[in-house]
Amino acid sequence: MKDASPQTIYLSDYRPFGYHVDTVHLTFRLHPTQTRVISRIAFRPNAEAPGPFFLHGEDMRLISAKIDGVAVSPEVTDKGLTCTVPDAPFVWEAEVEISPRTNTALEGLYMSNGMYCTQCEAEGFRKITFYPDRPDVMSVFTTRIESDLPVMLSNGNPVDQGEGWAEWHDPWRKPAYLFALVAGDLAAHSGQFTTMSGKDVTLNIYVRPGPDEGKCAFGMEALERAMRWDEKVYGREYDLDIFNIVAVDDFNAGAMENKGLNIFNSSCVLASPDTSTDANYERIDAIIAHEYFHNWTGNRITCRDWFQLCLKEGLTVFRDQQYTGDQGSHAVKRIEDAIVLRSRQFREDNGPLAHPVRPESFIEINNFYTITVYEKGAELIGMLKRLVGDEAYYKAVDLYFDRHDGEAATIEDWLKVFEDATGRDLTQFKRWYSQAGTPRVTVTDDFKDGTYTLHFKQETPPTPGQAQKEPQLIPIAVGLLSPNGDEVVPTSMLEMTETEQSFSFDGLGAKPVPSILRDFSAPVILERAQSNADRAFLMAHDTDPFNIWDAADKLAKSVLRAMITSDASPDQAYLDGVATILRDDTLDPAFRALCLTLPSEDDLAQAFHDAGTTPDPMAIHTAREALKLALAQHLQDTLPRIRAAMTVEGPYSPDAKSAGKRSLGTAALALLSRLDGGAAAQAQFAGADNMTLQLAALSVLMQIGKGDAESAAFRDQWHNDRLVTDKWFGLKVATAAPEGAAAVAEALTREPDFDMKNPNRFRAVFGALAGHSAGFHHPSGAAYDLLGDWISKLDGMNPQTAARMTTAFETWRRYDADRQAKMRAVLNRIAATEGLSPDTAEMVSRILGDAE
């Protein structure tokens, strides 16, 4: 029977499962449409928390069930089964039938181009067999796979195999969401790693035979780097004899940290200079590290329930951010992370989808794999580290590993180890996990008799379900500069705990210029009266890289607002400030490239909205284009020299230094193309010997309305490479003129190789359309209608991807009445789709809020 309506799950309702699971033995008899899964599970009652015997199970047919060898007839619904069981240890056996080939949702066991693979996080295991599918139920798994396919993989270590079968055993207790199985015709790129204790570990990256075999070397190097880094920085050693990665074409996410068998979206592991950009390489390096780091922060210690998702994801994101900074520039990495947080996460915090880092309730947990849980969750770890210091941080983390290894933990457990290790009371800090929204910190100052005082006031606006907010504990890193630019007070970490609070600095000879929130020390919005001259001064004299970039970003926004609202000319202070940074060869090229990049159109729209003004996407687009031209003209004597100086000699290497030079060279090329009609870009495209330079040149040409010939040549050259084709699809939409973006996207859906079932291809088109602010919000509303229609189509096949695409509409209340009406109509149309999934229904309902 079908449930009448989706049920809301509340954190406050948590109860432990009524039974322990000691061992799990699974046998898979693989078949495209009639896979049989035979489970043999040892249960025993949980005397401390007795409860009903309920096993989750969806989209499967029960063939038989037994308890201690005796057949039973459980009551089965579309959500699972209940059965009368002994009040003593017993063995549950069940045989079910599932159809991997028709599983287009890509969760549970499904097929991707003939390969069997699984995705069980968050609740996919319940589509494989009947089981208590919750993260606090942990057990030891043994898996037998029966198939005529040559490669059969599962979690743990291989223990036996024969003709048509293989058996794996994972000695470490894990929840069902970490279960994994892969079977197919695969080739292995192998390596070896010796741990710090001298244990040899076999490493494999499995791919399809053919061209993909030549794209594994970097992934293997990245895995070895991550393993060594985790030993050196966190003292964590790998704990199995083998570590396998499998590249899968059809995958809803980037990758999955299943114990010993990581399953990766092909785009997040395969790399070669011909087909991958510097950004691809950096992303692959970070994702491989992220999934490997989960072995301890997620697998060995998992989360008690899905409300604690940020416990494993926030901590692991923070660790991969540390790792990436160590591979290149911590300053550049910090700015890049701040850009993502301030654009996407602050937007989420400011709209109908706002939720705490640890939510209080959900209908579909898949809808809470959000940037708030991941990136803001990581920011909380970073703040905690700043508050207690490096030494205390690592002492507390070691205590966390010692105390909770093999357990399913909570945020309370995490904070308690810090309190025990440092003696600090973190009661107020815990509010960061329970309060949604971005705190706004207003700053004023005064100077008298050599004493400089900063006055802070914090306020967190109301968010859905949370009207009232308590003051947060905010670490605010501050340095002071003299009027001539010298640093007179080095960075000090202030701890703001009250709604209003002041901090004084004595013994100063003149009123200083403050550098506030250095290194983006807390995820807050800093509001302070500043002139363009003040911002230009910080661009020129600040010693903190983040605040130099931030001053440039704020100055650019001020300039663009003036250009939009009063038809002003670009501010000379901004142009001169950027020129000074660009010409300073002592600065990291990657940092200079960031300072040369204008705020995004969506960021500007948010800035107008925050100021109480309705943004005009078309005016914003026009102003940005005009400022790019003004920058190009102002820097025209410098741009050719920069391009020449940023040329990287020799074979392609994705190292941070070379990638930084290419990023600055590309930024210079983008401006130069505004002056030379694309001549330099055409030459670069023709002579490029790697994807970074080729795609950059093509992008530049398409942005200025040229490059049709180059686009056709690129398409022809790479039509057999699915990942490069994704790049081409996305670039076509992203560089389209605003009035034509929807038409370009629609035309691409009629291309023979557009496949809506493949999340990468779908996101390449519609993710690019949603990210094209002026195109998506064109007054015609064509993009709204197109995306809404495709979300409705996709929902029946892949609810997760469909639901996540609805976030394109989350800012609908920002805009004018006509655009609001058009977006609301589309959302209502999606909501009325027959058979709409709970995933998408929940998202649409939250986005609409109380709209009529």
Side-chain angles (χ1 to χ4, degrees):
M1 67 182 71
K2 282 281 187 183
D3 286 348
S5 61
Q7 299 298 306
T8 300
I9 300 169
Y10 296 92
L11 170 60
S12 59
D13 289 341
Y14 171 81
R15 299 292 183 274
F17 186 53
Y19 297 83
H20 297 291
V21 179
D22 292 324
T23 60
V24 179
H25 190 288
L26 303 171
T27 298
F28 288 80
R29 294 173 181 162
L30 297 179
H31 184 279
T33 57
Q34 297 175 334
T35 287
R36 292 292 177 97
V37 183
I38 302 159
S39 60
R40 191 172 189 273
I41 306 169
F43 286 99
R44 57 186 167 89
N46 183 352
E48 296 180 357
F53 183 76
F54 172 78
L55 304 182
H56 298 97
E58 299 176 9
D59 301 335
M60 66 181 74
R61 182 168 69 92
L62 177 65
I63 306 299
S64 65
K66 299 177 183 178
I67 293 178
D68 292 334
V70 178
V72 295
S73 300
E75 181 180 346
V76 181
T77 72
D78 66 329
K79 295 298 182 184
L81 62 77
T82 56
C83 189
T84 301
V85 298
D87 187 21
F90 63 93
V91 174
W92 165 269
E93 295 175 89
E95 182 173 358
V96 303
E97 184 177 276
I98 56 178
S99 177
R101 177 176 288 169
T102 58
N103 181 3
T104 59
L106 310 185
E107 58 179 351
L109 178 67
Y110 65 94
M111 298 191 75
S112 175
N113 297 326
M115 179 200 310
Y116 292 88
C117 54
T118 56
Q119 171 56 24
C120 293
E121 188 177 358
E123 296 176 338
F125 192 78
R126 63 190 60 185
K127 295 187 176 184
I128 291 175
T129 194
F130 290 101
Y131 193 78
D133 188 9
R134 42 189 289 170
D136 60 342
V137 176
M138 303 174 72
S139 186
V140 173
F141 281 67
T142 301
T143 305
R144 178 184 172 92
I145 308 169
E146 298 177 2
S147 172
D148 58 1
L149 291 166
V151 174
M152 291 172 276
L153 309 172
S154 192
N155 306 91
N157 297 316
V159 291
D160 205 357
Q161 65 179 27
E163 184 66 30
W165 63 276
E167 190 163 288
W168 293 75
H169 176 70
D170 185 356
W172 300 98
R173 294 171 66 243
K174 67 172 180 284
Y177 83 84
L178 291 171
F179 174 80
L181 179 151
V182 170
D185 181 11
L186 301 169
H189 180 96
S190 301
Q192 200 77 16
F193 183 84
T194 302
T195 68
M196 59 186 179
S197 67
K199 176 181 176 180
D200 291 330
V201 180
T202 299
L203 311 177
N204 295 301
I205 297 178
Y206 283 94
V207 297
R208 298 183 185 283
D212 288 355
E213 293 180 74
K215 300 178 181 179
C216 299
F218 179 79
M220 183 62 71
E221 294 169 7
L223 175 57
E224 293 172 0
R225 275 195 304 273
M227 296 176 79
R228 187 67 67 204
W229 185 91
D230 210 19
E231 290 183 343
K232 178 182 177 182
V233 178
Y234 280 86
R236 299 297 107 191
E237 185 175 352
Y238 187 61
D239 51 12
L240 291 169
D241 300 331
I242 192 167
F243 187 93
N244 291 322
I245 288 174
V246 182
V248 176
D249 288 346
D250 301 294
F251 205 71
N252 282 331
M256 178 61 206
E257 71 266 18
N258 318 293
K259 184 72 177 185
L261 178 57
N262 284 190
I263 298 178
F264 271 64
N265 188 314
S266 297
S267 67
C268 297
V269 68
L270 301 180
S272 72
D274 290 343
T275 61
S276 306
T277 64
D278 291 333
N280 294 146
Y281 274 99
E282 182 177 336
R283 182 167 183 255
I284 288 168
D285 197 25
I287 292 177
I288 286 176
H290 179 97
E291 304 308 333
Y292 175 75
F293 297 157
H294 264 312
N295 186 61
W296 277 91
T297 51
N299 297 2
R300 288 284 287 263
I301 306 176
T302 191
C303 47
R304 186 196 70 179
D305 52 68
W306 290 120
F307 295 100
Q308 320 295 329
L309 180 59
C310 61
L311 177 65
K312 75 181 186 77
E313 294 301 347
L315 178 53
T316 306
V317 169
F318 178 73
R319 277 157 40 80
D320 81 52
Q321 290 172 348
Q322 287 181 289
Y323 166 83
T324 301
D326 280 352
Q327 308 312 305
S329 164
H330 282 281
V332 168
K333 176 59 177 168
R334 187 66 188 131
I335 293 167
E336 290 172 344
D337 291 339
I339 289 172
V340 170
L341 195 84
R342 299 206 309 189
S343 58
R344 294 170 51 202
Q345 197 280 320
F346 283 13
R347 180 180 69 195
E348 186 168 89
D349 258 352
N350 196 52
L353 298 180
H355 62 86
V357 173
R358 181 170 68 176
E360 297 292 327
S361 66
F362 60 77
I363 293 175
E364 288 293 334
I365 184 55
N366 290 327
N367 289 335
F368 283 87
Y369 280 73
T370 63
I371 194 165
T372 295
V373 167
Y374 279 67
E375 271 70 20
K376 188 172 182 179
E379 290 297 313
L380 306 196
I381 308 298
M383 282 195 292
L384 197 53
K385 186 169 180 284
R386 290 185 185 94
L387 288 168
V388 304
D390 289 356
E391 183 179 350
Y393 169 79
Y394 288 108
K395 179 182 177 183
V397 173
D398 284 342
L399 180 59
Y400 176 67
F401 291 134
D402 292 341
R403 183 178 290 177
H404 297 291
D405 187 13
E407 296 181 359
T410 65
I411 292 301
E412 285 76 13
D413 294 327
W414 167 251
L415 294 178
K416 185 67 164 60
V417 299
F418 277 84
E419 290 183 328
D420 291 349
T422 67
R424 286 192 63 131
D425 181 350
L426 295 174
T427 302
Q428 185 179 18
F429 184 81
K430 186 181 173 183
R431 290 175 187 163
W432 281 103
Y433 286 98
S434 59
Q435 289 192 162
T438 305
R440 296 172 182 269
V441 178
T442 304
V443 187
T444 58
D445 62 356
D446 60 59
F447 180 72
K448 183 177 181 181
D449 298 330
T451 297
Y452 178 69
T453 303
L454 287 168
H455 307 282
F456 294 94
K457 180 179 180 180
Q458 62 165 297
E459 179 186 13
T460 303
T463 55
Q466 288 188 342
Q468 301 298 320
K469 311 287 183 173
E470 297 295 323
Q472 304 275 43
L473 167 55
I474 304 175
I476 304 174
V478 173
L480 301 180
L481 307 174
S482 72
N484 64 10
D486 295 332
E487 187 170 75
V488 292
V489 175
T491 303
S492 301
M493 191 64 69
L494 311 179
E495 295 188 19
M496 185 180 185
T497 59
E498 306 296 332
T499 301
E500 297 188 44
Q501 201 164 348
S502 300
F503 300 88
S504 295
F505 302 84
D506 300 322
L508 299 173
K511 182 178 181 180
V513 177
S515 170
I516 305 172
L517 209 67
R518 285 186 161 183
D519 201 39
F520 197 47
S521 58
V524 302
I525 295 173
L526 188 67
E527 298 180 339
R528 175 171 170 247
Q530 269 186 317
S531 67
N532 284 354
D534 293 335
R535 298 178 180 115
F537 177 88
L538 290 171
M539 283 177 67
H541 299 291
D542 208 329
T543 58
D544 180 68
F546 173 82
N547 271 1
I548 295 172
W549 170 83
D550 185 58
D553 184 69
K554 285 187 169 70
L555 183 51
K557 287 177 180 174
S558 174
V559 170
L560 285 162
R561 279 197 298 269
M563 293 173 68
I564 294 166
T565 59
S566 60
D567 200 27
S569 299
D571 190 292
Q572 194 66 32
Y574 171 71
L575 299 175
D576 289 343
V578 171
T580 299
I581 291 173
L582 181 62
R583 292 166 183 155
D584 187 349
D585 293 333
T586 66
L587 296 175
D588 182 348
F591 173 75
R592 286 187 274 168
L594 287 171
C595 292
L596 203 58
T597 304
L598 297 180
S600 73
E601 293 180 19
D602 188 74
D603 281 351
L604 290 163
Q606 186 64 47
F608 273 98
H609 179 72
D610 289 345
T613 305
T614 302
D616 181 344
M618 305 308 294
I620 289 171
H621 177 77
T622 299
R624 281 184 87 250
E625 292 300 300
L627 186 53
K628 288 177 185 177
L629 178 59
L631 269 173
Q633 291 169 338
H634 189 71
L635 301 170
Q636 58 184 310
D637 295 336
T638 304
L639 296 173
R641 180 188 71 79
I642 292 295
R643 281 203 69 223
M646 294 302 111
T647 301
V648 180
E649 303 293 342
Y652 174 86
S653 170
D655 65 276
K657 182 178 179 181
S658 299
K661 294 180 73 172
R662 283 188 291 268
S663 68
L664 181 55
T666 294
L669 178 67
L671 293 177
L672 187 61
S673 68
R674 309 269 162 170
L675 305 177
D676 71 356
Q682 288 172 330
Q684 179 170 306
F685 182 88
D689 62 355
N690 61 74
M691 179 54 65
T692 301
L693 295 180
Q694 186 183 28
L695 192 69
L698 179 59
S699 176
V700 164
L701 289 168
M702 295 176 73
Q703 285 177 46
I704 63 171
K706 299 193 175 183
D708 288 347
E710 288 79 5
S711 175
F714 186 88
R715 174 76 157 132
D716 184 63
Q717 179 182 0
W718 297 111
H719 71 279
N720 287 326
D721 190 294
R722 62 201 184 283
L723 298 181
V724 179
T725 298
D726 287 337
K727 293 178 172 64
W728 180 82
F729 269 78
L731 192 61
K732 286 283 287 184
V733 178
T735 59
E739 63 274 12
V744 170
E746 194 279 329
L748 289 171
T749 65
R750 291 184 272 109
E751 290 276 333
D753 48 1
F754 176 78
D755 180 6
M756 69 181 294
K757 295 180 182 179
N758 179 267
N760 288 350
R761 191 58 48 86
F762 190 89
R763 287 188 290 252
V765 174
F766 290 106
L769 181 61
H772 189 326
S773 185
F776 186 65
H777 295 292
H778 189 267
S780 67
Y784 304 154
D785 289 332
L786 180 67
L787 179 57
D789 289 346
W790 278 95
I791 287 173
S792 294
K793 290 178 188 177
L794 183 65
D795 181 72
M797 297 181 183
N798 189 332
Q800 283 190 37
T801 299
R804 288 170 185 168
M805 287 305 304
T806 62
T807 59
F809 296 99
E810 70 178 305
T811 60
W812 69 280
R813 292 181 186 270
R814 261 191 206 161
Y815 296 98
D816 57 84
D818 185 58
R819 286 183 171 92
Q820 284 193 30
K822 286 182 169 69
M823 282 188 270
R824 187 168 60 243
V826 170
L827 288 165
N828 284 325
R829 194 161 69 241
I830 295 171
T833 302
E834 185 176 355
L836 190 69
S837 71
D839 305 63
T840 303
E842 179 185 23
M843 291 297 287
V844 171
S845 175
R846 289 171 61 203
I847 291 170
L848 282 170
D850 58 0
E852 296 180 0

